[in-house]
Each structure stands twice: as structure tokens, then as C-alpha cells.
Amino acid sequence: MSTSVPPRDANAPKQIPVNSSAIPDEQALRRLFDAEFTKWVENAKSQLGDAPGLASRVVELAFINVWKQRQTLRDDKQVQTLLTDEVRHGSARALSRRSAASRFSGQGGGEKTAHASAGTVDPAKSWSEIEKGIHGGASDAAHAAAAGASRHEAA
């Protein structure tokens, strides 16, 4: 005697696990931040050359973009690849903005400028900025202050 199995419906949707993301929640992002923030800041500093004061902001934006793209990140390798790309491109954008600001202010693009906070990185402050970025809590005043700080760094 044989048993029959009903045929599988070829049009039935395939089930995808709900939490298949490598970054399923904010706590996972925080653990990643705690484990790797310093490494990524050092990476950004090496790419920024004479503008290391921009490194923490570049890395903050990279972590915010990881959060925004978390649903597409299936494993740690994809997370690391995205962070690598975001830090590299973010560093290039920061240097480009800095150079443009220097040209427009009449200081020339090639001058090296020391910045007092170049070696100072505060992970707690950076995490606070990341939280603002992922929750949309940054006020217009905060954006204006950040823009002013960027212009100051560029000069």
C-alpha cells in the first residue's frame, strides 16, 4: 500500500524568517558599535590624512547607514563590507567638502590645518549622535551646529 503526498503548490510564497537580518534590533547595533567603533575611527583617520578630526563623524554616519540598511544585511560579512564602503566613501566625501570649503574661503585646497579635537574621540557622544540619526531626533539647531562645526573643520 502506498501513501500519497499532496503536490506542493509551486505558487505558494516561500517563508522568510522574520529576524533574518544581521542587525535585528538597536541592541545588536550597539554591540557592534561597542566592539568596533574605535577600529573604524582609526580606519577613517588613516584615510582622512590631515583631517583626522572628521573621523568620528564619518564613522557615525556609517553606523547610521548600517541601521538604515539593516533589513538587507543577512550576515556579518555583509555588515563589514557595508561599513568598509561607508567609511571609505564617507572619508572621500569629507575630504572633498573640506577641500571645496577651503577653496571657497580663499585659503587654498592644499593647506594642512591642525584641529584641537583631532585625537579626541568620545564613543558616548558618538553613540548619542547615532541614536539621534536612527531615531530622527536631531533638531534643526543640532543640524546647524553640526554644519557650523564641519565648516570650522574645513577651514
Side-chain angles (χ1 to χ4, degrees):
M1 179 172 159
S2 68
T3 61
S4 70
V5 176
R8 180 175 173 175
D9 182 6
N11 295 327
K14 295 179 183 174
Q15 291 188 352
I16 299 172
V18 175
N19 280 334
S20 61
S21 172
I23 307 289
D25 55 26
E26 191 174 332
Q27 288 77 27
L29 183 69
R30 179 62 194 249
R31 286 189 300 273
L32 177 67
F33 172 85
D34 288 341
E36 300 197 4
F37 177 72
T38 304
K39 172 184 93 170
W40 288 109
V41 168
E42 291 304 316
N43 183 299
K45 282 181 180 180
S46 72
Q47 294 181 48
L48 290 165
D50 66 332
L54 300 173
S56 62
R57 185 63 185 151
V58 165
V59 175
E60 290 164 13
L61 292 172
F63 274 92
I64 290 168
N65 286 330
V66 165
W67 178 255
K68 289 178 180 177
Q69 297 182 39
R70 69 188 180 280
Q71 296 302 322
T72 65
L73 303 171
R74 300 292 175 222
D75 58 36
D76 290 339
K77 183 177 180 184
Q78 288 181 336
V79 172
Q80 294 300 316
T81 299
L82 180 59
L83 279 169
T84 300
D85 290 346
E86 289 294 326
V87 169
R88 181 176 58 244
H89 295 300
S91 296
R93 281 189 302 272
L95 288 174
S96 177
R97 277 189 230 108
R98 181 175 180 256
S99 177
S102 293
R103 280 192 310 272
F104 290 128
S105 69
Q107 294 179 3
E111 294 181 13
K112 293 186 178 184
T113 314
H115 189 272
S117 66
T120 310
V121 176
D122 182 1
K125 182 176 183 242
S126 289
W127 178 252
S128 175
E129 292 299 318
I130 291 168
E131 284 183 313
K132 288 176 189 174
I134 64 178
H135 296 296
S139 67
D140 289 336
H143 286 296
S150 294
R151 284 191 295 274
H152 174 72
E153 177 65 32

